[in-house]
Amino acid sequence: MATQNASAGVPIAIQPDGEMQRVRLLELPADLLALLTSEKPPRLHIKSIQVPPGGNPKEAHSVLCTPDKTYQIRQVSTSNSVYLIQPRDLSDPHPGAAAGLPRVGVEAVAKCDTSIELLPTSATSAAPYLQAALPTYASTGNYGSIEGGGQATKRELFSHIPLSDAECEAGWRQLACFESTDPPGCFIPSAKVKAEVWQSAMTAAVADGFDVCSPFPENDIPAYAIDLPGDWPRDIVIGVFAGVSSSTPGGHLAVDEQKAVRFAGANLLQAKSEGRAIEATAFLKAWRDAMPEAWRSKCDFAILQGYYSIEDNAQSIRYLDTTADAKAAVDASAKEAKSLGAKRKWHEKFKASKKTA
């Protein structure tokens, strides 16, 4: 309540502007605040995309990541002055004979002109980042190359992708990426290699009467695929089965029917299409032949939504490379996150929580 009495209330002092500390307030979403105040708060990471030599630094943007979620970091300006205060003795240092009781007040020691917002992002695939960063393994001994890429470890690679580690891992498995020690680095198998590994594994499983969905240890391969590393590096075979499997309650992996059908169909189409239209009926037959008998009926073009286009009155099918579209979506999200200077009216922000006296 306002008063004309100079000695009433709590005195406030404000430091000169030149001595004022500059700070930014970080606003935490409710779910992140709950996570950080839990009994076992996780470690958070601030990530930014790595800009290659000669690249545009403006393309880089920072995000804050929990183990499984990503938050865009956005700077927001405020239209109101926000100060940080601390208690201070505001008594006259030379009171003379008329000294009274000490006056305890507050002093503004820092000023906040902007705040940092954390905006949760929608589900984003790490595949475009991985495809841009990694060379392609095409055949035995042919690990491919990419300018400035291919030599990073998996951990280093993830540290430069502006997504949580869980989202990076999902993209890694989706593409069946693998980390090699000889030669050192991370790689993506070509669609042809992935399709061949899958088809060979299914041939072996059927011949030996194995249950395709039998659980197997993580970072390993099923028993029916034990001989495949003789034709391809073991890490590739592990990557392919990680890409078509889901975790079991017992901590193992098991081939997931839906993932496997989609994985095999998309890679087989990419390998056979090679940028041109192919006969749709012939492709569908080859796709079904690569599946266990019980899964053949699951091979339907609808499962490959986003990976193909139909041409010639539904007679032909062509593989669509979705990398460019996905990368454009990622860039659009980053551009939105970097918007600066948005005005913040604090009285509007807290209007909803204001209580009538």
Side-chain angles (χ1 to χ4, degrees), residues 290-350:
M291 293 291 107
E293 186 65 31
W295 296 0
R296 290 175 63 89
S297 62
K298 305 296 183 180
C299 298
D300 186 274
F301 290 147
I303 295 178
L304 303 181
Q305 186 68 37
Y307 284 98
Y308 73 95
S309 64
I310 294 294
E311 304 176 7
D312 302 328
N313 296 319
Q315 298 299 309
S316 301
I317 185 172
R318 182 193 301 269
Y319 176 79
L320 292 180
D321 187 355
T322 58
T323 304
D325 293 338
K327 187 65 170 64
V330 170
D331 291 342
S333 176
K335 183 177 180 180
E336 180 181 355
K338 290 191 294 182
S339 60
L340 302 178
K343 287 293 184 180
R344 165 65 59 81
K345 295 183 178 180
W346 290 90
H347 62 277
E348 292 182 358
K349 177 176 177 62
F350 296 111

Side-chain angles (χ1 to χ4, degrees), residues 47-49 61-63 65 70 129 158 160-164 167:
K47 292 185 175 184
S48 177
I49 188 171
H61 64 282
S62 297
V63 296
C65 298
T70 302
Y129 294 105
F158 282 12
H160 293 297
I161 296 178
L163 294 171
S164 68
E167 291 167 309

Side-chain angles (χ1 to χ4, degrees), residues 141-208:
N142 183 5
Y143 283 80
S145 62
I146 188 170
E147 184 178 354
Q151 299 301 313
T153 64
K154 182 179 179 181
R155 176 177 293 184
E156 291 170 339
L157 177 66
F158 282 12
S159 70
H160 293 297
I161 296 178
L163 294 171
S164 68
D165 284 354
E167 291 167 309
C168 290
E169 183 65 32
W172 176 274
R173 293 192 175 192
Q174 175 190 340
L175 297 174
C177 300
F178 67 98
E179 185 174 6
S180 170
T181 55
D182 185 22
C186 298
F187 304 87
I188 301 176
S190 68
K192 181 180 179 181
V193 168
K194 287 183 278 191
E196 289 177 348
V197 169
W198 172 257
Q199 288 176 299
S200 296
M202 292 303 98
T203 299
V206 172
D208 296 334

